[in-house]
Amino acid sequence: MKIGNVEIKSVACLAPLAGITDKAFREVCRSFGAGYGETEMVSAKALSFNDKKSFSLMELSESEHPCGIQLFGNEPALMANAARLAKNEGADIIDINMGCPAPKIANNGTGSALMKNPELCREIVYAMKNAVDTPITVKIRKGFDEEHINAVEVAQACEEGGADAVIVHGRTRQQYYSGKCDLDIIKAVKNAVGIPVIGNGDVKDIKSAEKMLGYTGCDAVMVARAALGNPWVFRILNEYFQNGIITQPPGTEDKLRIMREHIELVCSYKGERMGMLQSRKQIAWYLKGFRGAAGFRDEAGRVATLDDMYRLIERVLEFQNC
Ligand SMILES: Cc1cc2nc3c(=O)[nH]c(=O)nc-3n(C[C@H](O)[C@H](O)[C@H](O)COP(=O)(O)O)c2cc1C
């Protein structure tokens, strides 16, 4: 798949997840073969105020390219300015958030609320395309609610504005992340636009990815929640779709080694104190499915240093073997 002039070499990509898809996690997922990853959403308005934290969300590492920076906002001029800043940070792709359901985002007319106004979506894409030569993508939902299912209309408006690809999450804003992902709407978008379509929603293994790709005809899939504590999902999907090989997840020791290296990377970027605080949930996700997981996950919620994590790993290992 090509998004503008950017070649994406794998059929499975990492979706943006606020508070989760930081530089370290994206690097880990890329190392397992994610086609590309995206930063969490960054506020165009906050960037216009020179907000330091927002700029830090856009920091990319050398090894993760191609990488997308996701922006949210509803003012074409501010979004165009934010696109220039994202380009300066080295974004290979700039994605527009048109799907976030959170009240503090949607009630401000941004995120999923943009889908209520396809003409504004078109204007925003157009303004950003005029500002940068970086490919622009949009990440939309099925619609705002069951009474307003307009993913096809919004995707077409964005294509007219110059979008280079569209990512479709097959749920409405009203559904948040519950209920079923509607593959028919992804198929309908694929049939209605000429740009690449990336399907998103509930892809977690070979079977669900195969269904998404086969049924909808989409060009690639985006994986979000299934990558948590499970970044090797990209290797499993790639091996299957590129080489026809079914691979198993790593064994116990390898899983724990991957977790350790991931969290060490987080700490190298954020410092040990902040890094460990932010990694507690990641550790808990990695420990899912282990023998004694409930207790260990509880402990993960209290780790404060890398040494705490090393000790936890030793105990988890001992417990698996006894
Ligand atoms: C905790 C969380 C944070 C998310 N943050 C973002 C975000 O910043 N930008 C975005 O476009 N989507 C965001 N999403 C939506 C996901 O990218 C994805 O569309 C959704 O989870 C469905 O995919 P999945 O079934 O593979 O999880 C978020 C979802 C979750 C659960």
Side-chain angles (χ1 to χ4, degrees), residues 302-316:
R302 293 190 296 273
V303 290
T305 63
L306 279 168
D307 279 338
D308 287 346
M309 179 184 69
Y310 299 146
R311 281 190 289 270
L312 177 59
I313 290 175
E314 272 171 34
R315 280 198 304 280
V316 174

Side-chain angles (χ1 to χ4, degrees), residues 55-187:
F55 274 90
S56 75
L57 294 177
M58 297 201 295
E59 276 170 25
L60 310 181
S61 77
E62 284 292 314
S63 67
E64 65 168 310
H65 293 283
C67 182
I69 290 182
Q70 190 187 59
L71 300 171
F72 74 96
N74 62 356
E75 294 167 64
L78 278 190
M79 289 293 275
N81 185 51
R84 283 186 206 100
L85 298 170
K87 183 188 168 173
N88 285 346
E89 294 294 326
D92 302 287
I93 293 166
I94 300 173
D95 186 38
I96 308 171
N97 184 316
M98 297 187 179
C100 182
K104 69 173 181 192
I105 304 293
N107 293 347
N108 264 335
T110 59
S112 56
L114 283 177
M115 291 197 67
K116 292 178 176 174
N117 190 343
E119 177 51 28
L120 178 58
C121 296
R122 196 184 65 79
E123 281 173 30
I124 291 172
V125 176
Y126 185 76
M128 292 168 75
K129 283 295 285 185
N130 274 338
V132 292
D133 53 9
T134 313
I136 302 288
T137 61
V138 294
K139 185 161 176 286
I140 67 174
R141 281 182 174 249
K142 178 178 176 179
F144 197 76
D145 53 33
E146 283 305 315
E147 285 70 52
H148 303 88
I149 308 292
N150 66 347
V152 168
E153 190 190 348
V154 171
Q156 285 175 327
C158 291
E159 184 177 31
E160 274 168 34
D164 295 280
V166 54
I167 302 146
V168 189
H169 177 197
R171 286 189 178 86
T172 62
R173 185 264 173 166
Q174 199 178 28
Q175 285 178 291
Y176 271 63
Y177 302 104
S178 66
K180 250 185 81 179
C181 167
D182 180 359
L183 297 186
D184 285 303
I185 195 75
I186 300 173
K187 184 178 184 170

